[in-house]
Amino acid sequence: RDRVSTQSTWGCHANTADGPQVSGRTVNCSHLTVAARRNIGFAMLVSKKDRELVYRYLFKEGVMVAEKNFAIKHPSIEVQNLVVIELMKSFKAREYVKEQYAWRHYYWYLTNQGIEYLREYLNLPPEIVPSTLKKTARSFPQTRPDGDRPPRMGRGGGFGGGAGGGGGGGFGGGRDDYRKSAPAPGDFKPDFKSEE
């Protein structure tokens, strides 16, 4: 239960105290980099303390972000980044999280199955939910007392435009002023000839 398995690309059969066995013989992998060790197919041992730190953070936030750098500690948790990435890959395989990868960063989002698993693993009551599922109080009221929308920035409102602003894009009035103006005269016929 405290192991996180990675996929084998060299056909490792079993891990021993000396190292993994590849095609029946024990391999000494102490000289390999972390990335090379991952490709051999190690079963990674994770301490219960580190596992619980990662699980508690994931349940509390509902999301997890980790840079693809195996040599550093995770910025939010006092756990190696490699441990976080491997635990999340295990969760992804069991469909407890959804994974996105962009610009050398992994992004994991907790699924409903993952919430149930973590709630059971961490012995949490049903009323405790991740922060991604909590309703937030709105900072502005739903309806405005005067029934009007707040001013917009750019064309037709905000800086230099809209009601009382004097210029929707520099044309002497906002969008509403344009709509209220008189239509084109009845005998108006636009000419689209190019001047040569």
mmCIF file of all heavy atoms in Angstrom, residues 6 25 32-33 44-45 56 62-63 67 75 90 93 95 103 123 133 138 141 148-149 163 165-166 174 183:
data_model
loop_
_atom_site.group_PDB
_atom_site.id
_atom_site.type_symbol
_atom_site.label_atom_id
_atom_site.label_comp_id
_atom_site.label_asym_id
_atom_site.label_seq_id
_atom_site.Cartn_x
_atom_site.Cartn_y
_atom_site.Cartn_z
ATOM 1 N N THR A 6 6.032 2.481 -11.053
ATOM 2 C CA THR A 6 6.152 3.165 -12.335
ATOM 3 C C THR A 6 6.224 2.102 -13.407
ATOM 4 O O THR A 6 6.596 0.965 -13.147
ATOM 5 C CB THR A 6 7.418 4.040 -12.380
ATOM 6 O OG1 THR A 6 8.545 3.220 -12.137
ATOM 7 C CG2 THR A 6 7.351 5.149 -11.353
ATOM 8 N N ARG A 25 18.927 -10.595 -13.672
ATOM 9 C CA ARG A 25 20.126 -10.218 -12.927
ATOM 10 C C ARG A 25 19.894 -8.897 -12.204
ATOM 11 O O ARG A 25 19.150 -8.046 -12.662
ATOM 12 C CB ARG A 25 21.341 -10.130 -13.841
ATOM 13 C CG ARG A 25 21.307 -9.014 -14.825
ATOM 14 C CD ARG A 25 22.632 -8.989 -15.610
ATOM 15 N NE ARG A 25 22.943 -7.647 -16.005
ATOM 16 C CZ ARG A 25 22.466 -7.047 -17.073
ATOM 17 N NH1 ARG A 25 21.637 -7.687 -17.868
ATOM 18 N NH2 ARG A 25 22.802 -5.815 -17.366
ATOM 19 N N LEU A 32 22.804 6.190 -11.638
ATOM 20 C CA LEU A 32 21.849 6.756 -12.584
ATOM 21 C C LEU A 32 21.182 8.002 -12.029
ATOM 22 O O LEU A 32 21.034 8.157 -10.819
ATOM 23 C CB LEU A 32 20.767 5.727 -12.921
ATOM 24 C CG LEU A 32 21.241 4.480 -13.654
ATOM 25 C CD1 LEU A 32 20.083 3.527 -13.841
ATOM 26 C CD2 LEU A 32 21.849 4.845 -14.994
ATOM 27 N N THR A 33 20.776 8.871 -12.917
ATOM 28 C CA THR A 33 20.028 10.062 -12.516
ATOM 29 C C THR A 33 18.618 9.643 -12.121
ATOM 30 O O THR A 33 18.189 8.520 -12.395
ATOM 31 C CB THR A 33 19.950 11.071 -13.668
ATOM 32 O OG1 THR A 33 19.200 10.481 -14.729
ATOM 33 C CG2 THR A 33 21.324 11.491 -14.131
ATOM 34 N N MET A 44 8.579 2.795 -5.910
ATOM 35 C CA MET A 44 9.048 3.844 -5.012
ATOM 36 C C MET A 44 8.363 3.726 -3.658
ATOM 37 O O MET A 44 7.135 3.633 -3.588
ATOM 38 C CB MET A 44 8.736 5.193 -5.644
ATOM 39 C CG MET A 44 9.278 6.347 -4.909
ATOM 40 S SD MET A 44 9.030 7.790 -5.933
ATOM 41 C CE MET A 44 9.091 9.012 -4.697
ATOM 42 N N LEU A 45 9.141 3.742 -2.601
ATOM 43 C CA LEU A 45 8.590 3.718 -1.252
ATOM 44 C C LEU A 45 8.362 5.154 -0.794
ATOM 45 O O LEU A 45 9.243 5.996 -0.897
ATOM 46 C CB LEU A 45 9.549 3.015 -0.298
ATOM 47 C CG LEU A 45 9.797 1.538 -0.579
ATOM 48 C CD1 LEU A 45 10.845 0.993 0.366
ATOM 49 C CD2 LEU A 45 8.517 0.755 -0.438
ATOM 50 N N ARG A 56 -3.472 15.389 2.280
ATOM 51 C CA ARG A 56 -4.197 16.447 2.984
ATOM 52 C C ARG A 56 -4.203 17.746 2.169
ATOM 53 O O ARG A 56 -5.227 18.422 2.067
ATOM 54 C CB ARG A 56 -3.590 16.700 4.357
ATOM 55 C CG ARG A 56 -3.936 15.614 5.348
ATOM 56 C CD ARG A 56 -3.576 15.975 6.767
ATOM 57 N NE ARG A 56 -3.777 14.845 7.647
ATOM 58 C CZ ARG A 56 -4.954 14.456 8.118
ATOM 59 N NH1 ARG A 56 -6.033 15.120 7.774
ATOM 60 N NH2 ARG A 56 -5.056 13.415 8.896
ATOM 61 N N GLY A 62 -8.074 20.806 -3.530
ATOM 62 C CA GLY A 62 -8.811 20.243 -4.653
ATOM 63 C C GLY A 62 -7.987 20.182 -5.922
ATOM 64 O O GLY A 62 -8.377 19.557 -6.895
ATOM 65 N N VAL A 63 -6.838 20.853 -5.927
ATOM 66 C CA VAL A 63 -5.931 20.860 -7.073
ATOM 67 C C VAL A 63 -4.496 20.745 -6.569
ATOM 68 O O VAL A 63 -4.213 21.046 -5.416
ATOM 69 C CB VAL A 63 -6.071 22.152 -7.914
ATOM 70 C CG1 VAL A 63 -7.428 22.242 -8.554
ATOM 71 C CG2 VAL A 63 -5.784 23.369 -7.091
ATOM 72 N N GLU A 67 6.078 21.494 -10.588
ATOM 73 C CA GLU A 67 7.009 21.694 -11.687
ATOM 74 C C GLU A 67 7.675 20.368 -12.010
ATOM 75 O O GLU A 67 7.938 19.563 -11.119
ATOM 76 C CB GLU A 67 8.055 22.722 -11.287
ATOM 77 C CG GLU A 67 9.046 23.034 -12.380
ATOM 78 C CD GLU A 67 10.116 24.024 -11.937
ATOM 79 O OE1 GLU A 67 10.024 24.559 -10.824
ATOM 80 O OE2 GLU A 67 11.041 24.235 -12.728
ATOM 81 N N PRO A 75 6.939 23.524 -3.542
ATOM 82 C CA PRO A 75 6.887 24.828 -2.883
ATOM 83 C C PRO A 75 5.815 24.953 -1.798
ATOM 84 O O PRO A 75 5.976 25.740 -0.874
ATOM 85 C CB PRO A 75 6.619 25.811 -4.024
ATOM 86 C CG PRO A 75 6.117 24.998 -5.144
ATOM 87 C CD PRO A 75 6.642 23.617 -4.970
ATOM 88 N N SER A 90 0.030 7.934 -9.756
ATOM 89 C CA SER A 90 -0.721 6.788 -9.245
ATOM 90 C C SER A 90 -2.209 7.128 -9.161
ATOM 91 O O SER A 90 -3.059 6.317 -9.530
ATOM 92 C CB SER A 90 -0.181 6.401 -7.866
ATOM 93 O OG SER A 90 -0.989 5.421 -7.278
ATOM 94 N N ALA A 93 -3.732 7.094 -12.626
ATOM 95 C CA ALA A 93 -3.985 5.739 -13.120
ATOM 96 C C ALA A 93 -5.284 5.171 -12.541
ATOM 97 O O ALA A 93 -5.974 4.401 -13.202
ATOM 98 C CB ALA A 93 -2.812 4.831 -12.769
ATOM 99 N N GLU A 95 -7.805 7.082 -11.776
ATOM 100 C CA GLU A 95 -8.810 8.085 -12.147
ATOM 101 C C GLU A 95 -9.333 8.866 -10.945
ATOM 102 O O GLU A 95 -10.489 9.243 -10.884
ATOM 103 C CB GLU A 95 -9.966 7.444 -12.921
ATOM 104 C CG GLU A 95 -9.525 6.862 -14.241
ATOM 105 C CD GLU A 95 -10.661 6.266 -15.048
ATOM 106 O OE1 GLU A 95 -11.798 6.184 -14.535
ATOM 107 O OE2 GLU A 95 -10.400 5.886 -16.181
ATOM 108 N N TRP A 103 4.017 23.820 -20.119
ATOM 109 C CA TRP A 103 5.170 24.629 -19.744
ATOM 110 C C TRP A 103 5.916 24.048 -18.538
ATOM 111 O O TRP A 103 6.173 24.730 -17.558
ATOM 112 C CB TRP A 103 4.752 26.074 -19.470
ATOM 113 C CG TRP A 103 4.299 26.780 -20.690
ATOM 114 C CD1 TRP A 103 3.029 26.843 -21.168
ATOM 115 C CD2 TRP A 103 5.107 27.508 -21.611
ATOM 116 N NE1 TRP A 103 2.993 27.568 -22.318
ATOM 117 C CE2 TRP A 103 4.266 27.997 -22.618
ATOM 118 C CE3 TRP A 103 6.468 27.791 -21.680
ATOM 119 C CZ2 TRP A 103 4.735 28.752 -23.680
ATOM 120 C CZ3 TRP A 103 6.921 28.551 -22.733
ATOM 121 C CH2 TRP A 103 6.067 29.014 -23.716
ATOM 122 N N ASN A 123 -10.132 9.799 6.882
ATOM 123 C CA ASN A 123 -11.201 9.726 7.895
ATOM 124 C C ASN A 123 -11.851 11.092 8.121
ATOM 125 O O ASN A 123 -11.953 11.579 9.250
ATOM 126 C CB ASN A 123 -10.674 9.168 9.217
ATOM 127 C CG ASN A 123 -10.187 7.748 9.075
ATOM 128 O OD1 ASN A 123 -10.804 6.951 8.380
ATOM 129 N ND2 ASN A 123 -9.068 7.435 9.692
ATOM 130 N N LEU A 133 -14.780 23.163 -4.348
ATOM 131 C CA LEU A 133 -16.220 22.913 -4.342
ATOM 132 C C LEU A 133 -16.977 23.849 -3.416
ATOM 133 O O LEU A 133 -18.203 23.798 -3.361
ATOM 134 C CB LEU A 133 -16.502 21.462 -3.918
ATOM 135 C CG LEU A 133 -15.967 20.382 -4.847
ATOM 136 C CD1 LEU A 133 -16.310 19.003 -4.312
ATOM 137 C CD2 LEU A 133 -16.515 20.555 -6.239
ATOM 138 N N ARG A 138 -19.987 36.511 -3.174
ATOM 139 C CA ARG A 138 -19.692 37.490 -4.223
ATOM 140 C C ARG A 138 -19.351 38.823 -3.589
ATOM 141 O O ARG A 138 -19.938 39.228 -2.599
ATOM 142 C CB ARG A 138 -20.875 37.641 -5.158
ATOM 143 C CG ARG A 138 -21.147 36.385 -5.950
ATOM 144 C CD ARG A 138 -22.224 36.680 -6.975
ATOM 145 N NE ARG A 138 -22.523 35.503 -7.729
ATOM 146 C CZ ARG A 138 -22.040 35.264 -8.939
ATOM 147 N NH1 ARG A 138 -21.252 36.133 -9.507
ATOM 148 N NH2 ARG A 138 -22.370 34.176 -9.584
ATOM 149 N N PRO A 141 -23.118 43.031 -5.354
ATOM 150 C CA PRO A 141 -24.495 42.538 -5.292
ATOM 151 C C PRO A 141 -24.956 42.024 -6.653
ATOM 152 O O PRO A 141 -24.464 42.451 -7.691
ATOM 153 C CB PRO A 141 -25.305 43.759 -4.857
ATOM 154 C CG PRO A 141 -24.447 44.932 -5.207
ATOM 155 C CD PRO A 141 -23.021 44.460 -5.133
ATOM 156 N N ASP A 148 -28.611 49.660 -13.582
ATOM 157 C CA ASP A 148 -27.693 49.853 -14.691
ATOM 158 C C ASP A 148 -26.462 48.981 -14.486
ATOM 159 O O ASP A 148 -26.112 48.632 -13.362
ATOM 160 C CB ASP A 148 -27.290 51.332 -14.779
ATOM 161 C CG ASP A 148 -26.677 51.681 -16.112
ATOM 162 O OD1 ASP A 148 -26.796 50.867 -17.049
ATOM 163 O OD2 ASP A 148 -26.082 52.770 -16.215
ATOM 164 N N ARG A 149 -25.821 48.642 -15.558
ATOM 165 C CA ARG A 149 -24.583 47.878 -15.470
ATOM 166 C C ARG A 149 -23.443 48.786 -15.057
ATOM 167 O O ARG A 149 -23.484 49.989 -15.305
ATOM 168 C CB ARG A 149 -24.255 47.254 -16.826
ATOM 169 C CG ARG A 149 -25.272 46.237 -17.225
ATOM 170 C CD ARG A 149 -24.932 45.467 -18.450
ATOM 171 N NE ARG A 149 -23.940 46.061 -19.328
ATOM 172 C CZ ARG A 149 -23.638 45.599 -20.508
ATOM 173 N NH1 ARG A 149 -24.266 44.551 -20.961
ATOM 174 N NH2 ARG A 149 -22.734 46.165 -21.259
ATOM 175 N N ALA A 163 -21.821 57.145 -20.876
ATOM 176 C CA ALA A 163 -22.676 58.240 -20.430
ATOM 177 C C ALA A 163 -21.842 59.287 -19.710
ATOM 178 O O ALA A 163 -21.182 58.998 -18.732
ATOM 179 C CB ALA A 163 -23.767 57.705 -19.509
ATOM 180 N N GLY A 165 -19.150 60.580 -20.571
ATOM 181 C CA GLY A 165 -17.712 60.461 -20.819
ATOM 182 C C GLY A 165 -17.279 61.290 -21.997
ATOM 183 O O GLY A 165 -16.138 61.692 -22.088
ATOM 184 N N GLY A 166 -18.168 61.497 -22.942
ATOM 185 C CA GLY A 166 -17.857 62.376 -24.043
ATOM 186 C C GLY A 166 -17.190 61.707 -25.209
ATOM 187 O O GLY A 166 -16.860 62.359 -26.167
ATOM 188 N N GLY A 174 -21.071 57.899 -26.920
ATOM 189 C CA GLY A 174 -21.011 56.466 -26.671
ATOM 190 C C GLY A 174 -21.915 55.706 -27.604
ATOM 191 O O GLY A 174 -22.561 56.259 -28.507
ATOM 192 N N PRO A 183 -31.712 58.417 -38.112
ATOM 193 C CA PRO A 183 -31.201 57.552 -39.178
ATOM 194 C C PRO A 183 -30.743 58.376 -40.381
ATOM 195 O O PRO A 183 -30.999 59.571 -40.481
ATOM 196 C CB PRO A 183 -32.404 56.678 -39.535
ATOM 197 C CG PRO A 183 -33.598 57.452 -39.100
ATOM 198 C CD PRO A 183 -33.155 58.278 -37.930
#
